[in-house]
């Protein structure tokens, strides 16, 4: 395989991986205030993405691929909102563990990559 084809294949794999990252970040942003449906239920949990390199045997080049889609196991924040259907007996509502600053930084980095 010539160097141009190899370069295009590498760039294409990187773009595909970053497109998946953009989708995950978009889901996190869209669900940043999604609470549980019942009192005390867990809210949306932030999704994560991990990349890896994979050797393409046909072209003998290292390509980027999505290794794993996971979830962030960090703690949820809580907010007092007794009128919410997700409020527990004390009026506390669990909120997603999505930090908008992190998501916006990931969004910008993926877009530039």
């Amino acid at each position: 395989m010539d160097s141009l084809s190899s370069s295009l294949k590498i760039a294409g794999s990187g773009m595909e991986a970053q497109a998946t990252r953009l989708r995950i970040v978009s889901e996190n942003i869209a669900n940043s205030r999604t609470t549980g449906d019942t009192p005390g239920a867990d809210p949306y949990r932030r999704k994560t993405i991990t990349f890896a390199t994979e050797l393409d045997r046909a072209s003998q080049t290292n390509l980027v691929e999505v290794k794993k889609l996971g979830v962030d196991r960090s703690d949820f924040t809580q907010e007092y909102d007794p009128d919410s259907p997700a409020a527990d007996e004390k009026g506390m509502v669990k909120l997603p563990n999505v930090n908008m600053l992190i998501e916006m930084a990931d969004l910008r980095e993926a877009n530039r990559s």
Side-chain angles (χ1 to χ4, degrees):
M1 181 174 265
D2 65 17
S3 61
L4 177 61
S5 295
S6 181
S7 297
L8 290 173
K9 196 166 194 152
I10 292 168
S13 72
M15 289 175 65
E16 188 175 329
Q18 293 301 337
T20 303
R21 183 180 182 191
L22 286 171
R23 183 180 57 79
I24 296 299
V25 169
S26 297
E27 284 181 32
N28 289 340
I29 292 171
N31 288 294
S32 65
R33 298 290 295 176
T34 303
T35 61
D37 295 333
T38 59
D42 284 345
Y44 174 83
R45 191 170 285 278
R46 178 180 180 262
K47 293 182 180 178
T48 61
I49 187 168
T50 306
F51 299 114
T53 58
E54 178 73 24
L55 177 65
D56 180 48
R57 294 185 193 282
S59 63
Q60 292 298 307
T61 57
N62 285 319
L63 306 178
V64 179
E65 69 172 16
V66 174
K67 180 179 179 182
K68 182 177 122 178
L69 297 176
V71 291
D72 183 347
R73 294 286 175 195
S74 64
D75 294 335
F76 298 120
T77 58
Q78 291 194 352
E79 181 178 278
Y80 182 72
D81 185 5
D83 296 329
S84 172
D88 62 14
E89 63 279 349
K90 296 176 186 174
M92 300 303 287
V93 176
K94 292 180 190 176
L95 297 176
N97 58 349
V98 176
N99 181 327
M100 289 300 286
L101 290 175
I102 292 172
E103 299 307 322
M104 294 306 290
D106 279 353
L107 182 71
R108 187 173 196 162
E109 185 179 324
N111 194 28
R112 288 184 174 179
S113 293

